Amino acid sequence: MPTALVLSAGGMFAAWEIGVWKVLREHFTPDLIVGASAGAWNGWCIAGGATAEDLVREWLDPSIATLMRSGPLHARARHLFDCYQPRVPFGLTVVEAPRLRSHIVRGAEIQWQHLAATCSIPVVFPPVRIGGKLYVDGGFLGALPLWAAEEMGATRAIAINCLTTWPFRLVRKAIPPRQPGAGLEVVRIEPSTPLGSLRDTFHWSAANVKRWIALGERDGKRALASITM
């Protein structure tokens, strides 16, 4: 049963995913990893062999506070591409503009531009041109890319989803995400308490990052029984 680790979009909230992974990594080895937006960056690092300490260090780097500008976002994408290369099958999602079609990019196809594109929030950042086409945030048409995990061959998914509060539920109703088939078994792990406001998803704070990672660890421990079944 090929099992995927699926990491949602979430902006700064995606720091919570690191706390969950710190717990899960001791009990679960994914056969493949899929992510969207900030979750794609987390997944890229995990697939590339990043330790829990590496991941925490990346999130506590004060330069993350500058990522809401295009130049620093692209610089961070280059940094992650240079530091990590997947050791297990990995895929990320992007959305082609203006056609608004979701695509999965995987393995050796991925360049640093794809890492930039998957986090390029429409209106906030300009689209990223790759191969003559324009791409934006992979989470725009679906923050939790379960369909992509299924497309890569997964029959089971451990889905770490940090976007559960009302603004994001409203977006899902307005723009229904692409769904996987009925054959994909999904175990969802979500925050046990709200992570913060919409503003918090865009503004880096070391205190918030530490709090979210700690909560993620607690939520990961609660989920262990369903992961190891």
Side-chain angles (χ1 to χ4, degrees), residues 13 15-23 160-162 164 189-196 207-223:
F13 285 173
W16 170 84
E17 298 174 353
I18 300 307
V20 176
W21 176 246
K22 285 180 70 176
V23 175
I160 303 179
N161 178 31
C162 62
T164 58
I189 305 174
E190 297 178 337
S192 55
T193 61
L195 297 178
N208 278 345
V209 168
K210 291 175 183 178
R211 177 169 61 85
W212 294 331
I213 290 175
L215 177 63
E217 290 186 64
R218 294 195 294 273
D219 292 336
K221 289 175 182 176
R222 292 190 186 97

mmCIF file of all heavy atoms in Angstrom, residues 13 15-23 160-162 164 189-196 207-223:
data_model
loop_
_atom_site.group_PDB
_atom_site.id
_atom_site.type_symbol
_atom_site.label_atom_id
_atom_site.label_comp_id
_atom_site.label_asym_id
_atom_site.label_seq_id
_atom_site.Cartn_x
_atom_site.Cartn_y
_atom_site.Cartn_z
ATOM 1 N N PHE A 13 1.395 29.471 8.686
ATOM 2 C CA PHE A 13 0.806 28.374 9.452
ATOM 3 C C PHE A 13 1.506 27.044 9.177
ATOM 4 O O PHE A 13 1.426 26.115 9.985
ATOM 5 C CB PHE A 13 -0.676 28.219 9.111
ATOM 6 C CG PHE A 13 -1.589 29.250 9.700
ATOM 7 C CD1 PHE A 13 -2.926 29.282 9.324
ATOM 8 C CD2 PHE A 13 -1.141 30.180 10.626
ATOM 9 C CE1 PHE A 13 -3.793 30.228 9.851
ATOM 10 C CE2 PHE A 13 -1.997 31.144 11.159
ATOM 11 C CZ PHE A 13 -3.333 31.162 10.776
ATOM 12 N N ALA A 15 4.359 26.214 9.506
ATOM 13 C CA ALA A 15 5.312 25.855 10.557
ATOM 14 C C ALA A 15 4.723 24.768 11.451
ATOM 15 O O ALA A 15 5.462 23.921 11.984
ATOM 16 C CB ALA A 15 5.687 27.083 11.383
ATOM 17 N N TRP A 16 3.402 24.782 11.628
ATOM 18 C CA TRP A 16 2.735 23.753 12.429
ATOM 19 C C TRP A 16 3.006 22.359 11.862
ATOM 20 O O TRP A 16 3.150 21.381 12.619
ATOM 21 C CB TRP A 16 1.230 24.045 12.456
ATOM 22 C CG TRP A 16 0.381 22.967 13.022
ATOM 23 C CD1 TRP A 16 0.086 22.729 14.353
ATOM 24 C CD2 TRP A 16 -0.315 21.947 12.283
ATOM 25 N NE1 TRP A 16 -0.740 21.641 14.474
ATOM 26 C CE2 TRP A 16 -1.001 21.142 13.208
ATOM 27 C CE3 TRP A 16 -0.410 21.656 10.929
ATOM 28 C CZ2 TRP A 16 -1.782 20.058 12.823
ATOM 29 C CZ3 TRP A 16 -1.185 20.574 10.538
ATOM 30 C CH2 TRP A 16 -1.855 19.792 11.491
ATOM 31 N N GLU A 17 3.087 22.245 10.537
ATOM 32 C CA GLU A 17 3.341 20.957 9.903
ATOM 33 C C GLU A 17 4.664 20.358 10.371
ATOM 34 O O GLU A 17 4.797 19.129 10.466
ATOM 35 C CB GLU A 17 3.364 21.117 8.376
ATOM 36 C CG GLU A 17 2.053 21.602 7.786
ATOM 37 C CD GLU A 17 2.121 21.906 6.298
ATOM 38 O OE1 GLU A 17 3.245 21.859 5.737
ATOM 39 O OE2 GLU A 17 1.077 22.197 5.704
ATOM 40 N N ILE A 18 5.634 21.217 10.654
ATOM 41 C CA ILE A 18 6.943 20.733 11.097
ATOM 42 C C ILE A 18 6.828 20.050 12.447
ATOM 43 O O ILE A 18 7.461 19.020 12.694
ATOM 44 C CB ILE A 18 7.958 21.897 11.158
ATOM 45 C CG1 ILE A 18 8.109 22.543 9.768
ATOM 46 C CG2 ILE A 18 9.297 21.417 11.682
ATOM 47 C CD1 ILE A 18 8.432 21.572 8.661
ATOM 48 N N GLY A 19 6.018 20.603 13.338
ATOM 49 C CA GLY A 19 5.807 19.959 14.623
ATOM 50 C C GLY A 19 5.185 18.587 14.482
ATOM 51 O O GLY A 19 5.599 17.627 15.141
ATOM 52 N N VAL A 20 4.191 18.477 13.603
ATOM 53 C CA VAL A 20 3.563 17.174 13.363
ATOM 54 C C VAL A 20 4.599 16.192 12.822
ATOM 55 O O VAL A 20 4.699 15.039 13.277
ATOM 56 C CB VAL A 20 2.383 17.306 12.376
ATOM 57 C CG1 VAL A 20 1.796 15.933 12.067
ATOM 58 C CG2 VAL A 20 1.314 18.240 12.938
ATOM 59 N N TRP A 21 5.391 16.644 11.842
ATOM 60 C CA TRP A 21 6.375 15.751 11.227
ATOM 61 C C TRP A 21 7.439 15.317 12.224
ATOM 62 O O TRP A 21 7.924 14.177 12.165
ATOM 63 C CB TRP A 21 7.011 16.414 10.008
ATOM 64 C CG TRP A 21 8.100 15.570 9.404
ATOM 65 C CD1 TRP A 21 9.432 15.850 9.342
ATOM 66 C CD2 TRP A 21 7.941 14.276 8.817
ATOM 67 N NE1 TRP A 21 10.119 14.835 8.754
ATOM 68 C CE2 TRP A 21 9.232 13.843 8.416
ATOM 69 C CE3 TRP A 21 6.845 13.451 8.589
ATOM 70 C CZ2 TRP A 21 9.429 12.613 7.798
ATOM 71 C CZ3 TRP A 21 7.059 12.219 7.969
ATOM 72 C CH2 TRP A 21 8.341 11.815 7.587
ATOM 73 N N LYS A 22 7.814 16.167 13.157
ATOM 74 C CA LYS A 22 8.809 15.795 14.169
ATOM 75 C C LYS A 22 8.385 14.542 14.919
ATOM 76 O O LYS A 22 9.223 13.717 15.305
ATOM 77 C CB LYS A 22 9.012 16.946 15.167
ATOM 78 C CG LYS A 22 9.830 18.105 14.633
ATOM 79 C CD LYS A 22 9.994 19.198 15.676
ATOM 80 C CE LYS A 22 10.902 18.756 16.817
ATOM 81 N NZ LYS A 22 11.126 19.855 17.784
ATOM 82 N N VAL A 23 7.081 14.389 15.122
ATOM 83 C CA VAL A 23 6.556 13.204 15.805
ATOM 84 C C VAL A 23 6.403 12.033 14.837
ATOM 85 O O VAL A 23 6.853 10.912 15.106
ATOM 86 C CB VAL A 23 5.207 13.522 16.464
ATOM 87 C CG1 VAL A 23 4.598 12.256 17.083
ATOM 88 C CG2 VAL A 23 5.377 14.600 17.529
ATOM 89 N N ILE A 160 -1.561 16.230 6.192
ATOM 90 C CA ILE A 160 -1.323 17.228 7.244
ATOM 91 C C ILE A 160 -1.846 18.558 6.725
ATOM 92 O O ILE A 160 -1.267 19.167 5.830
ATOM 93 C CB ILE A 160 0.177 17.296 7.591
ATOM 94 C CG1 ILE A 160 0.674 15.914 8.012
ATOM 95 C CG2 ILE A 160 0.430 18.308 8.686
ATOM 96 C CD1 ILE A 160 2.151 15.864 8.351
ATOM 97 N N ASN A 161 -2.962 18.990 7.292
ATOM 98 C CA ASN A 161 -3.691 20.142 6.767
ATOM 99 C C ASN A 161 -3.793 21.242 7.819
ATOM 100 O O ASN A 161 -4.459 21.072 8.840
ATOM 101 C CB ASN A 161 -5.096 19.708 6.351
ATOM 102 C CG ASN A 161 -5.920 20.872 5.835
ATOM 103 O OD1 ASN A 161 -5.391 21.816 5.254
ATOM 104 N ND2 ASN A 161 -7.221 20.808 6.047
ATOM 105 N N CYS A 162 -3.149 22.373 7.573
ATOM 106 C CA CYS A 162 -3.153 23.459 8.553
ATOM 107 C C CYS A 162 -4.187 24.536 8.262
ATOM 108 O O CYS A 162 -4.376 25.451 9.074
ATOM 109 C CB CYS A 162 -1.766 24.079 8.688
ATOM 110 S SG CYS A 162 -1.129 24.844 7.186
ATOM 111 N N THR A 164 -7.734 25.258 8.255
ATOM 112 C CA THR A 164 -9.034 24.735 8.685
ATOM 113 C C THR A 164 -9.992 25.813 9.171
ATOM 114 O O THR A 164 -11.152 25.507 9.438
ATOM 115 C CB THR A 164 -8.833 23.712 9.822
ATOM 116 O OG1 THR A 164 -8.151 24.352 10.910
ATOM 117 C CG2 THR A 164 -8.013 22.521 9.348
ATOM 118 N N ILE A 189 -4.724 14.958 9.611
ATOM 119 C CA ILE A 189 -4.235 15.533 10.864
ATOM 120 C C ILE A 189 -4.386 17.041 10.733
ATOM 121 O O ILE A 189 -3.868 17.647 9.786
ATOM 122 C CB ILE A 189 -2.771 15.161 11.129
ATOM 123 C CG1 ILE A 189 -2.589 13.641 11.102
ATOM 124 C CG2 ILE A 189 -2.301 15.733 12.471
ATOM 125 C CD1 ILE A 189 -1.146 13.189 11.222
ATOM 126 N N GLU A 190 -5.115 17.637 11.665
ATOM 127 C CA GLU A 190 -5.387 19.066 11.613
ATOM 128 C C GLU A 190 -5.157 19.697 12.977
ATOM 129 O O GLU A 190 -5.161 18.991 13.996
ATOM 130 C CB GLU A 190 -6.828 19.298 11.126
ATOM 131 C CG GLU A 190 -7.042 18.786 9.699
ATOM 132 C CD GLU A 190 -8.465 18.956 9.206
ATOM 133 O OE1 GLU A 190 -9.383 19.049 10.055
ATOM 134 O OE2 GLU A 190 -8.663 18.994 7.967
ATOM 135 N N PRO A 191 -4.954 21.011 13.040
ATOM 136 C CA PRO A 191 -4.699 21.665 14.321
ATOM 137 C C PRO A 191 -5.860 21.480 15.297
ATOM 138 O O PRO A 191 -7.029 21.599 14.914
ATOM 139 C CB PRO A 191 -4.532 23.142 13.944
ATOM 140 C CG PRO A 191 -4.134 23.124 12.500
ATOM 141 C CD PRO A 191 -4.861 21.963 11.909
ATOM 142 N N SER A 192 -5.540 21.187 16.533
ATOM 143 C CA SER A 192 -6.569 20.981 17.553
ATOM 144 C C SER A 192 -7.136 22.296 18.058
ATOM 145 O O SER A 192 -8.232 22.327 18.627
ATOM 146 C CB SER A 192 -6.000 20.174 18.726
ATOM 147 O OG SER A 192 -4.832 20.805 19.234
ATOM 148 N N THR A 193 -6.411 23.383 17.858
ATOM 149 C CA THR A 193 -6.898 24.718 18.196
ATOM 150 C C THR A 193 -6.544 25.656 17.043
ATOM 151 O O THR A 193 -5.575 25.408 16.311
ATOM 152 C CB THR A 193 -6.268 25.252 19.497
ATOM 153 O OG1 THR A 193 -4.847 25.339 19.330
ATOM 154 C CG2 THR A 193 -6.583 24.335 20.673
ATOM 155 N N PRO A 194 -7.305 26.748 16.846
ATOM 156 C CA PRO A 194 -6.998 27.666 15.751
ATOM 157 C C PRO A 194 -5.574 28.211 15.844
ATOM 158 O O PRO A 194 -5.099 28.552 16.935
ATOM 159 C CB PRO A 194 -8.038 28.780 15.930
ATOM 160 C CG PRO A 194 -9.177 28.124 16.641
ATOM 161 C CD PRO A 194 -8.535 27.138 17.579
ATOM 162 N N LEU A 195 -4.903 28.292 14.707
ATOM 163 C CA LEU A 195 -3.512 28.756 14.693
ATOM 164 C C LEU A 195 -3.394 30.271 14.790
ATOM 165 O O LEU A 195 -2.354 30.778 15.233
ATOM 166 C CB LEU A 195 -2.812 28.255 13.425
ATOM 167 C CG LEU A 195 -2.696 26.731 13.299
ATOM 168 C CD1 LEU A 195 -2.028 26.368 11.982
ATOM 169 C CD2 LEU A 195 -1.925 26.136 14.465
ATOM 170 N N GLY A 196 -4.417 30.992 14.363
ATOM 171 C CA GLY A 196 -4.338 32.442 14.423
ATOM 172 C C GLY A 196 -5.245 33.080 13.400
ATOM 173 O O GLY A 196 -6.135 32.437 12.833
ATOM 174 N N ALA A 207 7.938 33.886 17.746
ATOM 175 C CA ALA A 207 7.103 33.368 18.839
ATOM 176 C C ALA A 207 5.974 32.505 18.283
ATOM 177 O O ALA A 207 5.672 31.430 18.831
ATOM 178 C CB ALA A 207 6.540 34.529 19.650
ATOM 179 N N ASN A 208 5.338 32.971 17.194
ATOM 180 C CA ASN A 208 4.281 32.169 16.586
ATOM 181 C C ASN A 208 4.821 30.860 16.037
ATOM 182 O O ASN A 208 4.202 29.797 16.195
ATOM 183 C CB ASN A 208 3.600 32.957 15.460
ATOM 184 C CG ASN A 208 2.553 33.925 15.964
ATOM 185 O OD1 ASN A 208 2.118 33.852 17.112
ATOM 186 N ND2 ASN A 208 2.157 34.849 15.109
ATOM 187 N N VAL A 209 5.949 30.919 15.348
ATOM 188 C CA VAL A 209 6.539 29.700 14.785
ATOM 189 C C VAL A 209 6.797 28.675 15.882
ATOM 190 O O VAL A 209 6.456 27.492 15.744
ATOM 191 C CB VAL A 209 7.840 30.026 14.022
ATOM 192 C CG1 VAL A 209 8.605 28.747 13.701
ATOM 193 C CG2 VAL A 209 7.529 30.788 12.737
ATOM 194 N N LYS A 210 7.376 29.092 16.990
ATOM 195 C CA LYS A 210 7.652 28.171 18.097
ATOM 196 C C LYS A 210 6.355 27.608 18.674
ATOM 197 O O LYS A 210 6.271 26.407 18.983
ATOM 198 C CB LYS A 210 8.448 28.896 19.181
ATOM 199 C CG LYS A 210 9.875 29.239 18.768
ATOM 200 C CD LYS A 210 10.587 30.063 19.838
ATOM 201 C CE LYS A 210 11.989 30.461 19.398
ATOM 202 N NZ LYS A 210 12.670 31.295 20.408
ATOM 203 N N ARG A 211 5.347 28.471 18.791
ATOM 204 C CA ARG A 211 4.060 28.019 19.348
ATOM 205 C C ARG A 211 3.396 27.012 18.424
ATOM 206 O O ARG A 211 2.862 25.991 18.876
ATOM 207 C CB ARG A 211 3.159 29.239 19.557
ATOM 208 C CG ARG A 211 1.763 28.913 20.052
ATOM 209 C CD ARG A 211 1.029 30.168 20.488
ATOM 210 N NE ARG A 211 0.861 31.121 19.404
ATOM 211 C CZ ARG A 211 -0.145 31.081 18.527
ATOM 212 N NH1 ARG A 211 -1.050 30.105 18.605
ATOM 213 N NH2 ARG A 211 -0.256 32.003 17.582
ATOM 214 N N TRP A 212 3.432 27.295 17.117
ATOM 215 C CA TRP A 212 2.797 26.388 16.163
ATOM 216 C C TRP A 212 3.528 25.049 16.095
ATOM 217 O O TRP A 212 2.893 23.993 15.988
ATOM 218 C CB TRP A 212 2.747 27.035 14.791
ATOM 219 C CG TRP A 212 1.847 28.236 14.737
ATOM 220 C CD1 TRP A 212 0.733 28.478 15.507
ATOM 221 C CD2 TRP A 212 1.972 29.370 13.868
ATOM 222 N NE1 TRP A 212 0.174 29.686 15.164
ATOM 223 C CE2 TRP A 212 0.895 30.258 14.170
ATOM 224 C CE3 TRP A 212 2.877 29.734 12.870
ATOM 225 C CZ2 TRP A 212 0.721 31.465 13.504
ATOM 226 C CZ3 TRP A 212 2.700 30.934 12.203
ATOM 227 C CH2 TRP A 212 1.632 31.786 12.514
ATOM 228 N N ILE A 213 4.840 25.075 16.136
ATOM 229 C CA ILE A 213 5.589 23.815 16.103
ATOM 230 C C ILE A 213 5.272 22.983 17.347
ATOM 231 O O ILE A 213 5.066 21.762 17.256
ATOM 232 C CB ILE A 213 7.103 24.091 15.981
ATOM 233 C CG1 ILE A 213 7.428 24.642 14.581
ATOM 234 C CG2 ILE A 213 7.908 22.813 16.242
ATOM 235 C CD1 ILE A 213 8.870 25.068 14.401
ATOM 236 N N ALA A 214 5.196 23.624 18.491
ATOM 237 C CA ALA A 214 4.867 22.902 19.732
ATOM 238 C C ALA A 214 3.464 22.297 19.647
ATOM 239 O O ALA A 214 3.248 21.139 20.061
ATOM 240 C CB ALA A 214 4.982 23.838 20.926
ATOM 241 N N LEU A 215 2.508 23.052 19.110
ATOM 242 C CA LEU A 215 1.155 22.523 18.948
ATOM 243 C C LEU A 215 1.153 21.366 17.959
ATOM 244 O O LEU A 215 0.474 20.355 18.173
ATOM 245 C CB LEU A 215 0.208 23.625 18.464
ATOM 246 C CG LEU A 215 -1.238 23.181 18.187
ATOM 247 C CD1 LEU A 215 -1.901 22.672 19.464
ATOM 248 C CD2 LEU A 215 -2.047 24.336 17.584
ATOM 249 N N GLY A 216 1.918 21.497 16.888
ATOM 250 C CA GLY A 216 2.012 20.418 15.916
ATOM 251 C C GLY A 216 2.528 19.130 16.537
ATOM 252 O O GLY A 216 2.045 18.034 16.216
ATOM 253 N N GLU A 217 3.491 19.242 17.420
ATOM 254 C CA GLU A 217 3.993 18.049 18.111
ATOM 255 C C GLU A 217 2.893 17.398 18.936
ATOM 256 O O GLU A 217 2.740 16.168 18.928
ATOM 257 C CB GLU A 217 5.188 18.422 18.990
ATOM 258 C CG GLU A 217 6.436 18.790 18.203
ATOM 259 C CD GLU A 217 7.640 19.004 19.096
ATOM 260 O OE1 GLU A 217 8.071 18.035 19.746
ATOM 261 O OE2 GLU A 217 8.141 20.143 19.162
ATOM 262 N N ARG A 218 2.115 18.206 19.635
ATOM 263 C CA ARG A 218 1.024 17.644 20.441
ATOM 264 C C ARG A 218 -0.025 16.986 19.546
ATOM 265 O O ARG A 218 -0.513 15.886 19.839
ATOM 266 C CB ARG A 218 0.385 18.734 21.298
ATOM 267 C CG ARG A 218 1.320 19.301 22.359
ATOM 268 C CD ARG A 218 0.579 20.093 23.423
ATOM 269 N NE ARG A 218 -0.042 21.309 22.902
ATOM 270 C CZ ARG A 218 0.578 22.474 22.804
ATOM 271 N NH1 ARG A 218 1.861 22.585 23.167
ATOM 272 N NH2 ARG A 218 -0.063 23.544 22.349
ATOM 273 N N ASP A 219 -0.362 17.649 18.439
ATOM 274 C CA ASP A 219 -1.347 17.078 17.520
ATOM 275 C C ASP A 219 -0.809 15.816 16.848
ATOM 276 O O ASP A 219 -1.565 14.874 16.591
ATOM 277 C CB ASP A 219 -1.744 18.120 16.470
ATOM 278 C CG ASP A 219 -2.531 19.281 17.069
ATOM 279 O OD1 ASP A 219 -3.145 19.095 18.139
ATOM 280 O OD2 ASP A 219 -2.520 20.375 16.468
ATOM 281 N N GLY A 220 0.485 15.794 16.557
ATOM 282 C CA GLY A 220 1.098 14.606 15.972
ATOM 283 C C GLY A 220 1.014 13.419 16.910
ATOM 284 O O GLY A 220 0.715 12.290 16.500
ATOM 285 N N LYS A 221 1.247 13.665 18.180
ATOM 286 C CA LYS A 221 1.180 12.575 19.168
ATOM 287 C C LYS A 221 -0.237 12.027 19.278
ATOM 288 O O LYS A 221 -0.446 10.808 19.413
ATOM 289 C CB LYS A 221 1.673 13.082 20.520
ATOM 290 C CG LYS A 221 3.172 13.332 20.562
ATOM 291 C CD LYS A 221 3.614 13.960 21.882
ATOM 292 C CE LYS A 221 5.110 14.244 21.872
ATOM 293 N NZ LYS A 221 5.554 14.949 23.098
ATOM 294 N N ARG A 222 -1.226 12.920 19.218
ATOM 295 C CA ARG A 222 -2.620 12.480 19.279
ATOM 296 C C ARG A 222 -2.988 11.615 18.069
ATOM 297 O O ARG A 222 -3.861 10.744 18.150
ATOM 298 C CB ARG A 222 -3.563 13.689 19.336
ATOM 299 C CG ARG A 222 -3.489 14.494 20.619
ATOM 300 C CD ARG A 222 -4.626 15.514 20.682
ATOM 301 N NE ARG A 222 -4.505 16.388 21.819
ATOM 302 C CZ ARG A 222 -3.960 17.612 21.803
ATOM 303 N NH1 ARG A 222 -3.502 18.091 20.655
ATOM 304 N NH2 ARG A 222 -3.897 18.350 22.885
ATOM 305 N N ALA A 223 -2.332 11.878 16.957
ATOM 306 C CA ALA A 223 -2.680 11.179 15.716
ATOM 307 C C ALA A 223 -1.940 9.857 15.529
ATOM 308 O O ALA A 223 -2.265 9.121 14.596
ATOM 309 C CB ALA A 223 -2.372 12.087 14.518
#
